[in-house]
């Protein structure tokens, strides 16, 4: 079964002039019978100009988001910190907002720094995967050597040991000499 889908559409203009609510929620419904097609889709239209609450009136999570979108150009550092404290989920949005609000030179610097961080993390992850792969290969080879040594102690043929362990005949002969 599919999970319910919520669509949030933020409008910077008034779409529905007939009502004052800033949030309108829609579902898919048969026109005449008024039966729902599905309850797995909900479409929300948020008309930002109709949102009239001030920072001290924010209660619902949606209020905080719409307030941030509406007043982002006017909000200063202290107000942003207060919003983050009241609703920690806004912290990342506020951080992104600060980034896109940087002047061109600072945004380029930020993007270069961000790219360097991502490249570094990619290199670390790649090195980890390579190290893990090499470690697994060495572990498999070590186990094959252990098996070959047991088989040599049981006087198995070199060809049979090579077939079972995937070690070369030269490797097995070398083990036999060391034994």
């Amino acid at each position: 079964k599919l999970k319910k889908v919520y669509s949030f559409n933020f409008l910077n203009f008034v779409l529905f002039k007939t009502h004052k609510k800033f949030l309108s929620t829609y579902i898919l419904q048969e026109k005449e019978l008024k039966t729902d097609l599905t309850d797995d889709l909900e479409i929300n239209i948020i008309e930002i100009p109709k949102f009239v609450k001030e920072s001290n009136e924010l209660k619902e999570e949606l209020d905080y988001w719409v307030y941030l979108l509406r007043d982002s150009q006017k909000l200063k550092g202290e107000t942003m910190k207060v919003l983050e404290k009241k609703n920690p989920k806004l912290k990342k949005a506020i951080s992104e907002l600060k980034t896109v609000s940087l002047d061109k030179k600072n945004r380029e610097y930020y993007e270069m720094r961000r790219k360097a961080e991502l490249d570094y993390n990619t290199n670390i992850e790649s090195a980890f995967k390579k190290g893990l792969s090499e470690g697994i290969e060495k572990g498999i080879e070590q186990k094959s050597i252990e098996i070959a040594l047991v088989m040599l102690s049981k006087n198995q043929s070199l060809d049979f040991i090579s077939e079972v362990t995937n070690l070369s005949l030269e490797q097995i002969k070398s083990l036999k000499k060391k034994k």
Side-chain angles (χ1 to χ4, degrees), residues 14-35:
V14 174
L15 181 63
F16 306 113
K17 295 174 180 29
T18 57
H19 64 273
K20 292 183 179 182
K21 295 184 337 174
F22 78 93
L23 171 63
S24 302
T25 302
Y26 295 90
I27 57 172
L28 295 179
Q29 196 174 68
E30 203 286 325
K31 209 172 187 177
E32 290 179 22
L33 298 175
K34 305 286 188 213
T35 55

Side-chain angles (χ1 to χ4, degrees), residues 74-101:
K74 298 183 260 180
L75 297 177
K76 300 295 178 220
E78 192 56 41
T79 309
M80 297 277 207
K81 287 179 185 173
V82 170
L83 280 175
E84 286 177 6
K85 280 184 184 176
K86 287 184 178 180
N87 189 331
K89 292 179 182 178
L90 292 178
K91 190 171 188 164
K92 184 170 182 176
I94 290 172
S95 174
E96 289 297 320
L97 183 61
K98 287 176 185 175
T99 300
V100 298
S101 300

Side-chain angles (χ1 to χ4, degrees), residues 140-153:
I140 290 170
E141 185 177 359
Q142 185 59 42
K143 190 64 179 173
S144 294
I145 290 171
E146 289 173 15
I147 292 169
L149 289 170
V150 169
M151 293 177 81
L152 284 169
S153 71

Side-chain angles (χ1 to χ4, degrees), residues 37-49:
L37 175 64
T38 179
D39 60 352
D40 291 331
L41 176 64
E42 182 178 293
I43 302 167
N44 296 277
I45 308 290
I46 299 157
E47 299 171 276
I48 296 174

